Amino acid sequence: MTAVPGSPPAGRAKLADVATLAGVSVGTASKALNGSGRMRPETRQRVLAAAEALDFRPNQHAQSLHTGRSWTVGLMTTDGIGRFSTPVLLGAEDALGAGKISVLLCDTRGDSIREQHHLRNLMDRRVDGIIVTGRRTDPRPPLKGIEPIPTVYALSPSTDPDDISVVSDDRSGARLAVEHLVATGRTRIAHVTGPAHHAAARDRAHHTVELLERFSLELSTGRVQFGEWSEAWGRRAAEAVLRTAPDTDAFFCGNDQIARGVADSLRENGVDVPGKVAVVGYDNWDVMALACRPPLTTIDTDLAEIGRQAALRLLDAIGSAPEPGLHTVPCRLVVRESS
């Protein structure tokens, strides 16, 4: 029986099969799976995807003896709730799992003592690398005492510019939202967001004001409405904005919870959404965006891609080809009925 071109070979897959499917040399496939060598992230991902498609299973014991690696990576999160860190961690685990790398999840719950405890355990297990993430985009101090272990910070960047950090591009997110609203004829736009001391609220507000100025527009109320990351704040803010600037024709909100509160308030006050006032959120959190009435147009920060890119950059760092600095992942606009 003749095999179909590109289909997995019969029997247990070999490294050469992975290389053929990925369209690379055996040496490149080996380096990609070992997390070594310098190559484009896309090439490494193609090899990992081929290994997964073929269910390639390298001899981990032999590889460990040969390379001195443990084939394990620590994923450390400060987000006990998991709203933001879980998609990041799943994206990272998908990329690492394709290379048959085991993942150890550690939840520090934002506690520095617990963080040090987990770090000691990870170091005792001789992990090959660590990915650190959290629930906020505020820069965080780098981990201490782990200099020999390659580390990548995802979503919550390190304050050290020499570290490797992968974050969402909030500038692109704000641009997509503002350009969408302007393209649909909105000119009196309010911006309602979270606490001013949160980087996400502060950065998104700054980019929004800057982008409106490019269109020769300004916020309908003359200022950003800073408050809380909650539906309750969205409801209060919507009423306050319409009292101050009744000609407001759009709300761009700092997250989906706020946006849903705004939409609720508008609906309860008989304001047609999106006929009279459009509403755009941020995060594309299905629980909020799809339950909103009408369903919410929002900005997707692609958290899983942040995790995937963090994992690929960690593999490069393990392979002695680190790319330090801040790396951004673009957002995308998800249009629904609220705009």
Side-chain angles (χ1 to χ4, degrees):
M1 181 175 180
T2 304
V4 177
S7 64
R12 180 166 177 167
K14 300 179 177 61
L15 181 60
D17 301 321
V18 175
T20 299
L21 184 58
V24 299
S25 68
V26 172
T28 297
S30 176
K31 291 176 183 178
L33 294 171
N34 290 340
S36 62
R38 184 182 296 275
M39 67 188 67
R40 293 169 60 86
E42 295 81 2
T43 302
R44 192 183 300 278
Q45 178 62 25
R46 197 164 69 247
V47 173
L48 294 176
E52 184 175 25
L54 297 174
D55 194 25
F56 175 67
R57 300 179 183 277
N59 186 326
Q60 300 288 51
H61 178 66
Q63 285 185 315
S64 295
L65 292 176
H66 176 67
T67 65
R69 288 181 52 186
S70 66
W71 298 94
T72 56
V73 164
L75 294 179
M76 184 173 293
T77 176
T78 61
D79 180 11
I81 298 174
R83 160 66 190 96
F84 296 99
S85 64
T86 296
V88 172
L89 297 177
L90 289 175
E93 191 173 36
D94 284 347
L96 295 169
K100 309 304 178 185
I101 297 174
S102 298
V103 177
L104 302 175
L105 176 60
C106 303
D107 179 11
T108 71
R109 304 178 194 175
D111 181 86
S112 59
I113 296 176
R114 188 182 295 270
E115 179 174 277
Q116 288 302 310
H117 167 72
H118 285 309
L119 275 178
R120 285 193 296 270
N121 283 339
L122 292 175
M123 294 177 73
D124 288 343
R125 290 173 178 266
R126 304 180 66 84
V127 295
D128 297 322
I130 299 174
I131 295 176
V132 184
T133 189
R135 64 179 303 181
R136 290 170 59 171
T137 62
D138 298 78
R140 56 152 292 154
L143 298 179
K144 297 180 180 178
I146 59 162
E147 285 74 16
I149 303 178
T151 303
V152 174
Y153 298 83
L155 188 63
S156 304
S158 169
T159 53
D160 187 342
D162 291 329
D163 285 333
I164 305 170
S165 298
V166 181
V167 302
S168 175
D169 185 357
D170 274 339
R171 178 182 291 277
S172 76
R175 176 179 56 78
L176 288 169
V178 171
E179 288 181 351
H180 172 67
L181 289 171
V182 172
T184 56
R186 316 293 173 163
T187 59
R188 298 288 292 161
I189 302 170
H191 186 57
V192 182
T193 192
H197 63 274
H198 281 209
R202 200 168 55 247
D203 293 345
R204 292 167 192 173
H206 170 75
H207 297 320
T208 298
V209 172
E210 183 180 69
L211 289 159
L212 285 173
E213 289 176 350
R214 293 186 183 180
F215 289 101
S216 299
L217 298 174
E218 60 181 22
L219 294 171
S220 65
T221 59
R223 65 181 181 87
V224 175
Q225 309 295 311
F226 288 108
E228 305 164 1
W229 300 115
S230 70
E231 293 176 70
W233 162 239
R235 289 191 291 271
R236 295 197 306 272
E239 293 179 358
V241 166
L242 292 182
R243 283 197 303 269
T244 304
D247 58 346
T248 296
D249 59 13
F251 283 81
F252 172 34
C253 303
N255 79 350
D256 291 339
Q257 288 171 276
I258 295 172
R260 184 176 175 183
V262 167
D264 284 347
S265 178
L266 294 174
R267 186 177 66 254
E268 290 166 3
N269 284 281
V271 178
D272 180 24
V273 177
K276 184 176 181 181
V277 178
V279 181
V280 174
Y282 210 105
D283 291 333
N284 196 28
W285 184 13
D286 286 355
V287 172
M288 288 289 156
L290 298 180
C292 183
R293 290 295 176 264
L296 189 63
T297 293
T298 185
I299 300 299
D300 192 318
T301 54
D302 210 349
L303 297 175
E305 180 63 15
I306 291 175
R308 191 183 75 86
Q309 287 290 335
L312 293 177
R313 292 188 182 280
L314 181 64
L315 291 174
D316 285 340
I318 293 171
S320 300
E323 293 187 47
L326 191 68
H327 307 275
T328 59
V329 172
C331 298
R332 63 187 181 89
L333 175 70
V334 180
V335 178
R336 299 191 180 96
E337 288 88 334
S338 70
S339 65

